[in-house]
Structure formats: C-alpha cells, structure tokens
Amino acid sequence: MTRLAADCARCAALCCVAPAFARSSDFAIDKPAGQPCRNLGDDFRCTIHQHLERRGFHGCVVFDCFGAGQRITNETFGGQDWRSTPDIAGDMFAVLPVMRQLHELMWYLTEALELNETRRLHPGLRAALDETDALAGRSPEQLRKMDVDAYRGKVVPLLRRASEMARAGRRGPDHSGARLIGRRMRGADLRGASFRGALLIGADLRDADLRRADFTGADMRGTDLRGANLSGALFLTSSQLRAAVTGDDRL
C-alpha cells in the first residue's frame, strides 16, 4: 500500500522549493515559487528543522504532503532530483500539488474504510481508493494535465456519505463551512458535529465533547483543544492537530 505519511528522508525537499512563501505569521521570509528556501541544506534537509517554530516557520511545521513528496521523487521521477537533473525541475514542482491532493484523498478514503459504520460503503470506498492510487501512478505529463478538482468532486460525495453514516447515532450541529474564528465553545456537547471546511482559527474548544465530529478540511490554526474529547473524531489530520493548541503550556 502506498505510504500516506511524509518521509522527508526519501524526498528531494519538494515542499521547500516548489511553493511560494509569503512573509506572515506562518513564514518568516518571502520565497518565490521554484526557489529553494534559504534554510535548505545540500542534503535536501532543513538546516533549522529543530527550531522551525522559534524561527517563525510555523507553516512548515504544520504542512503535510501525505507522502506525495517521496512518491514523486522515487516513483514518478525514478529517483532523480531537481538539483542533479535541472531539466525536470519544472515538472517535479508542477506535479507536487496534484499528487498531494490525490494522496490526501487516499488518506481520507483509508480513514473511511476503518469505520465500522461505513461497512455498506466499503466496496465503493475501496474502488475509489484503488482508482485514486492508479491515477497518482501516472506519468508527469498526465498528472500535470489532470483536472484534480473535478476528480475531487467525484470522490467527496462518497466521503461525505461515510461521515453521515458514522455520525448517524448522534448527529450534532452542522457547522460546515462556517466562520467560527475565535468562537467560544468551551465545554460544549458537539458530538457528531460537522466542521467540514469550517474556519476554527483561534476557537475555544477546551473540554468540548467532540466524539465523532467531522473535521474534514477545517482550518484549525490556534484552535484550543486542551481537554477536549476527540475519541473517534472523523478525518482529523496530524497537520490539523499540529496547527491547534493541544498542550498545557498556553497562557
């Protein structure tokens, strides 16, 4: 099975080169697309990896390619890299956002397959997972031409149905796409709630009951989750948790 977690040791640091950075609370510098970050070493490793947060690179800390980087490096381009083979740089960088979206879909499909409540959907979910994996295995030219947004539109309804089935026993409030920036919801009963695509930036969810809540695509930068019950939360990624406040050291 394709690995759906980043393995930086097997990648040519594509996320440190391909995207553009804008100086902000997430990045300490401006960086044009296709230009290596000034902190990138000759070995394709970050020279300040242990100090990213302190040095103002929170965006790097929370980024997750879902394993797209190493797949592009080792499978799509057969182990070549943009430094030793400059002619492929443009293609490698252009393929990254496409591959990342496909791998993200695969991660969601895999999560949906682990839900007991979605057993009736498992054949369709497995078929979608296999199809997405096959698409991700295409050539660089095919990947560049792919309308990945249209493909997401085909898969998302299946994932939404899986979420509805998983939350059927306790359907909480629907906050899909809602602007909940800074909203105070401490201690709230939000079992089975939908936060799909919601803006939860700086929201206070301390001690909230979030069992079986759906967090697909929610922006959780600074969301305070201390003491919250996240048992069985749906589609909550590790990058979302890194973006949130989960420790006990916040003043």
Side-chain angles (χ1 to χ4, degrees):
M1 179 63 189
T2 301
R3 180 174 169 79
L4 300 175
D7 185 351
C8 297
R10 300 182 62 240
C11 178
L14 299 184
C15 67
C16 302
V17 188
F21 300 166
R23 187 187 296 269
S24 63
S25 59
D26 286 328
F27 297 102
I29 60 173
D30 291 320
K31 186 193 81 63
Q35 178 177 305
C37 175
R38 70 186 186 192
N39 300 310
L40 183 63
D42 293 336
D43 59 354
F44 296 114
R45 307 304 293 270
C46 177
T47 59
I48 63 167
H49 181 71
Q50 301 302 321
H51 311 287
L52 283 169
E53 197 75 65
R54 181 169 58 82
R55 298 283 290 272
F57 290 87
H58 180 69
C60 297
V61 174
V62 303
F63 179 77
D64 189 352
C65 74
F66 295 94
Q70 69 257 22
R71 185 168 190 176
I72 292 170
T73 302
N74 296 284
E75 182 179 321
T76 313
F77 289 90
Q80 299 180 92
D81 66 76
W82 50 271
R83 272 186 176 148
S84 60
T85 314
D87 289 346
I88 67 172
D91 283 335
M92 289 192 88
F93 302 155
V95 163
L96 178 60
V98 177
M99 184 72 79
R100 184 189 177 278
Q101 288 195 64
L102 292 173
H103 271 229
E104 182 183 32
L105 283 174
M106 291 170 65
W107 185 88
Y108 285 131
L109 290 164
T110 301
E111 290 290 299
L113 278 165
E114 294 180 358
L115 301 172
N116 290 330
E117 300 95 330
T118 65
R119 284 190 298 273
R120 288 191 290 109
L121 280 184
H122 282 191
L125 290 166
R126 289 194 187 95
L129 179 59
D130 291 342
E131 179 183 35
T132 309
D133 196 13
L135 289 171
R138 288 182 169 183
S139 69
E141 182 180 6
Q142 290 172 316
L143 287 167
R144 289 192 67 164
K145 292 180 178 178
M146 181 179 178
D147 187 344
V148 71
D149 290 332
Y151 184 70
R152 286 185 71 95
K154 174 183 174 181
V155 177
V156 165
L158 184 63
L159 291 169
R160 186 175 291 114
R161 178 60 181 150
S163 172
E164 292 170 352
M165 293 174 71
R167 296 182 292 117
R170 173 73 187 195
R171 188 70 62 84
D174 186 357
H175 292 302
S176 301
R179 293 178 59 86
L180 301 172
I181 300 172
R183 180 71 63 86
R184 297 178 181 177
M185 295 178 279
R186 184 173 187 175
D189 183 353
L190 295 166
R191 286 174 289 173
S194 175
F195 293 103
R196 297 177 68 89
L199 297 180
L200 286 165
I201 303 169
D204 185 356
L205 288 170
R206 286 176 293 173
D207 304 315
D209 192 341
L210 296 166
R211 287 174 289 176
R212 273 300 190 257
D214 183 347
F215 289 97
T216 303
D219 189 336
M220 302 181 68
R221 287 174 290 172
T223 306
D224 198 336
L225 294 173
R226 289 176 296 169
N229 188 343
L230 291 165
S231 301
L234 303 174
F235 308 124
L236 180 62
T237 68
S238 58
S239 60
Q240 285 173 311
L241 288 173
R242 289 195 298 271
V245 178
T246 57
D248 296 320
D249 53 354
R250 184 181 181 185
L251 296 179

